[in-house]
Amino acid sequence: MSAGSRTRPRDWTPLRDSDPVPGDAEEIRDEVRHMTRLAEQLREQSKLLQGISNDNELRGKYANRLRSEGGDLQKKLGEVAGRYERVHGHLSGWANALEDFQSEADRILRRAKEKQQEVEADQKKKEHAGSGGGKDGGPTPTPSPSPSGVEDDPMLEFHRQLMAVESDRDERARYFGDRIKDELDDVLEDSTWENIKDWTHEHADLFKSIGDVLSNITAVLGVLAIITMPFPPLGVIFGALALAGSALTLGAQLMAKAGGADVGWGTIGLTAVGLIPGIGAFGKGAKFASMAKAGKSASALGKGFKTVKLTGQKNLFAMGGLAGKVEGGVGLVGRKLVLGGTFGKGAGMAVHESSTAMSKLGAVVGAGYHEGQMLGTKGANMLFGKGGEIIDPMSDAGRVMDASFKMAPKMINPVTEGVQNLGDQFGLTS
């Protein structure tokens, strides 16, 4: 915040949850002043280079090259200075417009708060009159019913006024944005990287929306993969689609974050965790702590899959009960996670009899679903299983638990919003 920045209201009730006209006009003006100084410095350097180019006293091996390249650089510096000089006028105009819109929004908020105080005071008077008996000891008057419906909302007019301010603000923002883009359409060519950054920023909200949609679709596919686990090849198909969806979701979220959209690192981290089973694609099949569990996985993966022993084979990455079957390597979190080492006796793997690609697909689906969910059976077994399982992820109870936890994060926001709406409807929230 600049030294001359205005203090903006933080509490926008009863009109909004947050500032409807955000921004700092003074910071924009600071940037305009900075651009003006840069333009002046560039003009000065351009004059110096022009002097070098016109200097006939220069002698030596590099004189001609210095004159030629100095002239080219002088021209480019002048073009950059011209761009700054053309753009800063539009930025100043936008700063002034933004400040006017903010002032109008602030006035609307003050009037709305005053009106709210009047309504609350009148309501208290009515309640007092209704409970304190009638005039001269007469019967208590029956209070008239409260007005209902949108048109009777005392805040309605203020909402409309604020929406008009927002609409005007958006129109002026587009106007100045278009003028600035026109000024940038000059002989100077931005680098490919600059163009990519601009394009990403312009489409950040679109990427966020795509990521949200893909996240919901992926969650549904994950639940279907868990439910249909015992019914090959449905479980394999849904599992593969869910992991592909996680990859696409992560890509969209990272693009949105890079473009400046409101995507939290926690959201990105949860999506990335969903891709951990993809490490299984580097293995030869779906690995399990026991041959019996590998046999269950082979049956769930479908026709052509069989079980083989893992004894003596190298480990890349193992978690939970499987980590307990690894000898050597680097153990983390009390050897709940092991990197490297070799498998000892007892561990098994589900592989396809003839297709390496199907074996890798089985490894991905096995790690992603047959071993259970980290937020579910897999996590419970790692924390409380003491090297074994307290609940089988492939059992009916295990699949219900994993499917429930898989959808839980997607249900929290709708439920919270529903409760909030009910509270607003019955006047239970402030």
Side-chain angles (χ1 to χ4, degrees), residues 144-343:
S144 59
S146 299
S148 60
V150 175
E151 294 299 327
D152 294 318
D153 183 358
M155 295 295 112
L156 179 60
E157 182 58 31
F158 301 109
H159 281 294
R160 287 173 174 166
Q161 292 174 10
L162 193 55
M163 288 173 64
V165 170
E166 291 175 293
S167 177
D168 291 343
R169 183 272 317 271
D170 293 342
E171 189 277 327
R172 295 305 288 169
R174 284 191 294 270
Y175 170 81
F176 285 111
D178 289 342
R179 298 292 80 73
I180 290 172
K181 286 181 181 179
D182 290 342
E183 298 296 355
L184 296 180
D185 186 16
D186 51 24
V187 295
L188 290 173
E189 292 187 5
D190 293 327
S191 66
T192 301
W193 175 243
E194 288 294 329
N195 289 330
I196 291 173
K197 287 199 300 182
D198 291 343
W199 183 84
T200 304
H201 179 72
E202 290 176 4
H203 296 85
D205 290 336
L206 174 61
F207 279 116
K208 182 180 184 301
S209 298
I210 292 173
D212 292 341
V213 172
L214 286 174
S215 177
N216 291 331
I217 293 174
T218 299
V220 173
L221 289 170
V223 171
L224 290 174
I226 294 169
I227 293 173
T228 60
M229 197 185 300
F231 310 109
L234 292 177
V236 177
I237 294 171
F238 286 129
L241 290 174
L243 288 169
S246 292
L248 293 174
T249 301
L250 181 62
Q253 290 173 345
L254 288 174
M255 290 293 287
K257 184 71 172 178
D262 184 18
V263 180
W265 284 112
T267 300
I268 294 173
L270 286 174
T271 304
V273 168
L275 280 173
I276 290 178
I279 298 173
F282 296 98
K284 298 178 180 179
K287 302 179 180 68
F288 296 92
S290 68
M291 288 293 291
K293 192 66 184 292
K296 281 187 178 182
S297 178
S299 298
L301 290 171
K303 186 178 179 180
F305 281 88
K306 64 178 183 179
T307 57
V308 297
K309 293 182 179 180
L310 276 175
T311 307
Q313 294 194 31
K314 292 182 179 179
N315 168 57
L316 175 65
F317 173 86
M319 297 177 64
L322 183 61
K325 299 294 184 178
V326 178
E327 297 175 352
V330 179
L332 304 172
V333 199
R335 289 192 72 84
K336 298 286 186 181
L337 171 64
V338 178
L339 306 176
T342 57
F343 288 103

Side-chain angles (χ1 to χ4, degrees), residues 43-181:
R43 291 290 185 195
E44 184 65 28
Q45 296 301 316
S46 178
K47 288 179 182 178
L48 293 175
L49 286 170
Q50 185 177 26
I52 292 174
S53 299
N54 297 333
D55 189 352
N56 295 322
E57 300 298 322
L58 287 173
R59 298 288 187 274
K61 183 177 180 180
Y62 300 104
N64 291 333
R65 185 174 179 181
L66 183 61
R67 289 192 187 96
S68 174
E69 295 189 0
D72 290 341
L73 181 58
Q74 177 253 331
K75 181 180 178 181
K76 289 181 179 178
L77 287 177
E79 289 168 351
V80 174
R83 175 182 281 192
Y84 281 147
E85 289 163 352
R86 294 191 303 272
V87 165
H88 78 69
H90 298 308
L91 284 175
S92 295
W94 167 238
N96 294 335
L98 176 62
E99 194 169 60
D100 290 341
F101 291 132
Q102 289 180 333
S103 297
E104 180 60 23
D106 293 353
R107 283 193 291 270
I108 294 170
L109 176 63
R110 285 196 297 271
R111 291 197 296 267
K113 286 184 176 292
E114 290 170 358
K115 182 64 176 179
Q116 185 184 38
Q117 291 173 356
E118 292 176 7
V119 170
E120 290 175 351
D122 289 343
Q123 184 64 29
K124 287 181 180 178
K125 288 180 180 178
K126 291 178 181 178
E127 291 175 356
H128 179 71
S131 61
K135 197 172 185 180
D136 299 326
T140 301
T142 302
S144 59
S146 299
S148 60
V150 175
E151 294 299 327
D152 294 318
D153 183 358
M155 295 295 112
L156 179 60
E157 182 58 31
F158 301 109
H159 281 294
R160 287 173 174 166
Q161 292 174 10
L162 193 55
M163 288 173 64
V165 170
E166 291 175 293
S167 177
D168 291 343
R169 183 272 317 271
D170 293 342
E171 189 277 327
R172 295 305 288 169
R174 284 191 294 270
Y175 170 81
F176 285 111
D178 289 342
R179 298 292 80 73
I180 290 172
K181 286 181 181 179

Side-chain angles (χ1 to χ4, degrees), residues 13 198 325 353 399:
T13 53
D198 291 343
K325 299 294 184 178
E353 294 176 341
R399 287 185 291 122

